[in-house]
Amino acid sequence: MKLYIKIPGFTPIVLRLKESKLQIHHCIEVANEYYGKLFNGNPPVPLYIQKVINFNNGDKLLIFYREETSDFGFNMHIQHKISIYEEPPACPESVIFMKSPCPKLYRGILPKVVSLNRLLLILTDGTIDKFLIDVFWWRYRSFVKPSVLLRKLMERFDVPGIQRNESPRENSNTAGQYTFLDECYYHVEVKTMIQTTVGKMLYDWVKNYYFDFDDKMEKALTNFCNTRMIAAGLSCVSSKILNLMKTQSRLAPWQIELEKSKQGKSEKRHSLAYTNLSLLRMDPREFAETITLMDYNIYKDIHVTELLGFAWNKEKKRHMAPNLVKATSFFNRISNWIIFQLLNEYNNNVRKKMIEMLIKVVEYLKELNSFNMIMAVYSALENSNIDRLQDTWSIVDDKTKKQRTEWSKFCSTEGNSKNLREAMEKAYTEFSPCCPFIAIFLKDLVFVNDGNPSFIDGKINFHKYVVEYLVMLNILRFRDRPYENITLREDIKTVLETYQLKEEDELYSLSLKIQPRKK
C-alpha cells in the first residue's frame, strides 16, 4: 500500500509499504518514525494527526499539523530575499550533517538538511570535495532558480573584509578583532580562495549548462566579469568565462538534438535485399554485437537533463528526453521484432531452433555486458504470446530449458533485481564497456522522489538529491566506455530499423493460429 503524508513545511511524501492492511495507529507510528529519521532522531517539534483519508484501493493519506519551528529565517522563501552574508553562523537550525551514503565515491560528511545560503557557503569555501559540487550541478534546478543562483554566487564573490585591531600593544586577538597578519592571511588565502572557487563554478556553469541562462542573466554575468572580477585581480578567470560565453550555445540539449534531427531529416534509403533477412539467417554473435552497438549509440548521447522532472514519462515533456525515449523505443522494437519472428514461423521445429539461437544470443550479450538487450530478448521469450506455445516449449532440448531457467533467475526482480545490479556493478569496477538496463534505475528515481520530501522545514533536503545523483550516475556512468573490436552488421541494422512494430492484437492472433486455446 501507499502511505501519503502531508506535514507543514515539507513537500508531500509517499511511502510504499509492504503490508497492505495497516491500522491507522500503525500508519501514524510509521509516519512519526520516518519524520524522526529526517532529523537524525531529534525532530524539533512533535507531529499531531489532523486528518486521515482512506482511499478505495487501500492507500491512506495522513495530514499532520505541528507547532511552528524557530528556524523561520532559514526558510527557502526568506533565503531568497536575504544576502548570503546575512546568514547566521552554522547551527542545527541551518544545517544538519550526516555521513556519506556512498563511501566509495566520497568518504566525508555532507549536509543532510541545509538552508540555501549555508549550502552555497559550504560549496564555495575552496576546500569542498568535487563530489558535492557535481551533486549540486546535476540537481540544483529542483530547489533554486538559475537567476537566484547567479545572484547568490555574485554575492558570495564580494567577500567582506575583517576588522583589524589597530592597537600596536595588542598582540592577540580580542573578540571580533584581528591582527595585521590575520588580515593578510585572510585576504591572500581565504578571500582569494573563495573568489577563485566562485569563478570556477561560474566557468563550469557556462561550460556545461549554459542553457540555464536567459538574456538578463547573460548580461549580468558579462558585467560582473568585466567589473568585479577584474577589480578583484581575477582577470584571467574573467577572460576565460567571457570567451566561453561567445562560443557556447544556450540551446538546451534536447533543442540541439531536435536541430540535428531536422538537418538529417532526409529519409534513409534502405536496400530491399535486406527486408527478408530472418532471425535464423543471422549469426548469433553478429546479431548480439549489432544490437549492442545500436543500443550503445543511443545510450551514449543521453544527457543528464533528460533525467530531470521525469520528462521521459510525461507526454507533454517527452521531447525534453529524446535519447531516453529513443532507448526505450529501441528496447521495445527489439523485443517486438523477436516476438514477431517467432510467431511468424508456423513450423514448431524451426521455432525451436529460433529459441535455441536466442539463448545463444543472450550468452553473447552477457559477454558484452549488454544488459539492456539481454532484458529485451528475455522479455520477448517471456512474452505471454510466446510463453503459451507449449507445443514448442515441449520439444526444446533440456540444455536450452536449463539455460532459460538460469536466465530467468538472472533477470528476476527478486531482491530488487539483485543479480542484474551486481552484474552491472561488476562491469563498472572492471572498467568494462556496458549498456546498463536503464529501466531499473528509472524506477529507482521515481521511488527516491516519491519517498523523500524536497524541503524539510523550508530547507533543502540535500540527502535526497545526493541519492538521486547516485541513481543518475548509475544510468550515465558507462557513456564514455565505447565498445571496440566488435562489428555492426549493416544488413541486420537495416532489418531492425525498417521493421514495422506489430500491435498486441496482431501478435496474439498469430499466437492463436499456432496454438489455439483449449476448449
Side-chain angles (χ1 to χ4, degrees):
M1 65 172 281
K2 290 182 181 179
L3 182 61
Y4 299 88
I5 303 170
K6 290 188 69 175
I7 303 171
F10 291 61
T11 45
I13 303 165
V14 184
L15 300 180
R16 291 175 171 83
L17 307 180
K18 292 182 180 180
E19 295 82 357
S20 58
K21 294 181 180 180
L22 284 180
Q23 298 296 319
I24 295 299
H25 67 279
H26 289 138
C27 293
I28 294 174
E29 287 177 6
V30 170
N32 272 294
E33 182 180 355
Y34 182 83
Y35 172 66
K37 286 181 179 179
L38 294 174
F39 295 95
N40 291 341
N42 188 29
V45 291
L47 293 179
Y48 303 97
I49 191 67
Q50 182 177 3
K51 190 175 184 180
V52 177
I53 298 177
N54 293 296
F55 299 105
N56 292 333
N57 63 354
D59 295 344
K60 291 179 173 57
L61 167 62
L62 304 184
I63 301 176
F64 292 92
Y65 73 93
R66 59 182 190 151
E67 298 174 2
E68 188 172 310
T69 57
S70 59
D71 54 351
F72 181 69
F74 301 109
N75 186 286
M76 182 63 79
H77 178 68
I78 302 299
Q79 291 270 301
H80 280 193
K81 294 180 180 179
I82 65 173
S83 167
I84 197 167
Y85 286 111
E86 293 178 31
E87 179 81 359
C91 60
E93 286 75 26
S94 67
V95 58
I96 298 174
F97 287 99
M98 65 176 291
K99 290 182 179 179
S100 170
C102 48
K104 289 183 180 179
L105 296 176
Y106 175 66
R107 291 182 176 276
I109 61 171
L110 51 80
K112 180 178 182 180
V113 181
V114 61
S115 66
L116 175 62
N117 284 337
R118 178 55 54 190
L119 176 61
L120 293 176
L121 288 168
I122 291 171
L123 294 177
T124 54
D125 75 353
T127 62
I128 203 69
D129 192 272
K130 181 179 179 294
F131 171 80
L132 295 181
I133 299 289
D134 290 342
V135 173
F136 178 80
W137 281 129
W138 280 21
R139 301 304 299 127
Y140 90 88
R141 298 164 194 82
S142 297
F143 52 82
V144 62
K145 292 181 179 179
S147 57
V148 175
L149 175 59
L150 179 61
R151 174 168 56 83
K152 292 288 183 183
L153 287 176
M154 291 191 295
E155 286 176 1
R156 176 61 162 151
F157 186 84
D158 294 329
V159 183
I162 61 173
Q163 182 183 357
R164 194 208 310 174
N165 180 7
E166 300 295 343
S167 173
R169 288 176 291 183
E170 295 282 353
N171 294 321
S172 60
N173 291 354
T174 56
Q177 295 184 327
Y178 303 87
T179 66
F180 173 72
L181 290 177
D182 291 332
E183 185 179 22
C184 289
Y185 174 80
Y186 178 78
H187 284 284
V188 173
E189 297 291 337
V190 179
K191 184 175 181 179
T192 301
M193 183 183 291
I194 292 170
Q195 291 180 329
T196 302
T197 302
V198 171
K200 187 179 186 310
M201 285 191 71
L202 290 172
Y203 179 85
D204 290 342
W205 194 2
V206 172
K207 181 181 179 181
N208 299 311
Y209 312 104
Y210 198 36
F211 51 85
D212 286 337
F213 284 67
D214 57 23
D215 291 342
K216 191 174 180 180
M217 289 175 64
E218 186 179 55
K219 184 177 179 180
L221 182 55
T222 301
N223 181 63
F224 176 78
C225 290
N226 283 324
T227 55
R228 286 147 69 184
M229 288 196 79
I230 292 176
L234 295 178
S235 56
C236 182
V237 179
S238 171
S239 297
K240 286 183 177 180
I241 294 174
L242 291 171
N243 289 334
L244 193 61
M245 290 171 70
K246 294 175 183 177
T247 58
Q248 290 294 92
S249 170
R250 272 174 41 195
L251 290 177
W254 67 266
Q255 292 173 314
I256 294 174
E257 197 71 28
L258 187 62
E259 290 295 320
K260 285 182 183 177
S261 63
K262 286 180 180 178
Q263 291 173 6
K265 206 168 184 179
S266 54
E267 292 186 12
K268 297 179 182 178
R269 296 183 178 180
H270 296 290
S271 173
L272 295 176
Y274 297 149
T275 54
N276 292 323
L277 184 62
S278 64
L279 180 63
L280 276 183
R281 292 174 62 193
M282 298 177 185
D283 177 79
R285 180 181 287 278
E286 291 178 342
F287 178 70
E289 290 182 354
T290 297
I291 62 176
T292 295
L293 285 175
M294 291 176 73
D295 190 39
Y296 176 77
N297 287 336
I298 298 170
Y299 164 73
K300 69 181 176 61
D301 289 333
I302 297 175
H303 194 273
V304 62
T305 55
E306 298 187 40
L307 300 171
L308 304 179
F310 307 103
W312 77 87
N313 208 24
K314 297 178 181 178
E315 193 61 40
K316 292 184 178 180
K317 290 187 175 183
R318 283 168 65 84
H319 63 280
M320 298 174 70
N323 295 300
L324 206 50
V325 171
K326 281 182 190 176
T328 303
S329 298
F330 183 69
F331 180 99
N332 293 334
R333 172 175 291 274
I334 296 300
S335 186
N336 189 280
W337 181 80
I338 290 173
I339 293 169
F340 178 69
Q341 288 289 305
L342 291 168
L343 295 178
N344 201 38
E345 175 55 60
Y346 292 99
N347 186 302
N348 277 344
N349 287 315
V350 175
R351 192 179 310 103
K352 164 186 169 289
K353 291 180 180 178
M354 285 183 171
I355 291 173
E356 292 168 353
M357 181 256 197
L358 286 169
I359 293 296
K360 291 180 182 178
V361 169
V362 173
E363 295 286 348
Y364 290 130
L365 290 171
K366 179 64 167 60
E367 292 179 13
L368 295 168
N369 294 320
S370 185
F371 299 107
N372 208 40
M373 289 298 94
I374 286 176
M375 293 304 295
V377 176
Y378 172 74
S379 66
L381 290 173
E382 296 299 311
N383 183 270
S384 59
N385 294 310
I386 304 300
D387 186 60
R388 63 179 298 276
L389 303 179
Q390 294 305 312
D391 290 345
T392 301
W393 288 108
S394 63
I395 61 173
V396 171
D397 61 66
D398 292 339
K399 179 183 176 182
T400 302
K401 288 179 180 177
K402 182 180 178 181
Q403 289 174 312
R404 183 196 183 195
T405 301
E406 290 173 352
W407 281 111
S408 294
K409 291 178 181 177
F410 178 79
C411 299
S412 170
T413 58
E414 186 177 343
N416 197 17
S417 302
K418 179 185 176 183
N419 294 330
L420 200 51
R421 290 179 189 272
E422 288 179 349
M424 288 187 281
E425 187 62 29
K426 183 173 182 287
Y428 181 71
T429 55
E430 293 178 349
F431 303 97
S432 303
C434 173
C435 284
F437 181 46
I438 297 174
I440 284 182
F441 302 116
L442 295 181
K443 183 179 178 181
D444 289 346
L445 269 183
V446 174
F447 182 80
V448 173
N449 182 74
D450 287 350
N452 296 275
S454 299
F455 298 98
I456 297 175
D457 284 336
K459 296 185 289 291
I460 301 161
N461 183 5
F462 197 67
H463 173 244
K464 169 183 177 175
Y465 297 114
V466 170
V467 176
E468 287 185 343
Y469 169 83
L470 295 174
V471 176
M472 293 161 72
L473 192 63
N474 281 334
I475 295 174
L476 303 176
R477 59 184 172 169
F478 296 101
R479 289 179 302 172
D480 59 350
R481 295 187 185 179
Y483 284 90
E484 298 175 352
N485 302 320
I486 65 173
T487 305
L488 187 147
R489 283 276 301 270
E490 287 295 334
D491 52 349
I492 297 176
K493 180 173 181 280
T494 298
V495 167
L496 297 173
E497 287 181 340
T498 56
Y499 169 69
Q500 297 294 317
L501 269 70
K502 304 300 184 285
E503 296 292 335
E504 177 61 27
D505 289 347
E506 182 179 354
L507 295 175
Y508 183 54
S509 178
L510 289 171
S511 181
L512 288 177
K513 286 181 181 178
I514 295 170
Q515 185 162 328
R517 283 178 297 193
K518 294 181 180 180
K519 295 181 180 179

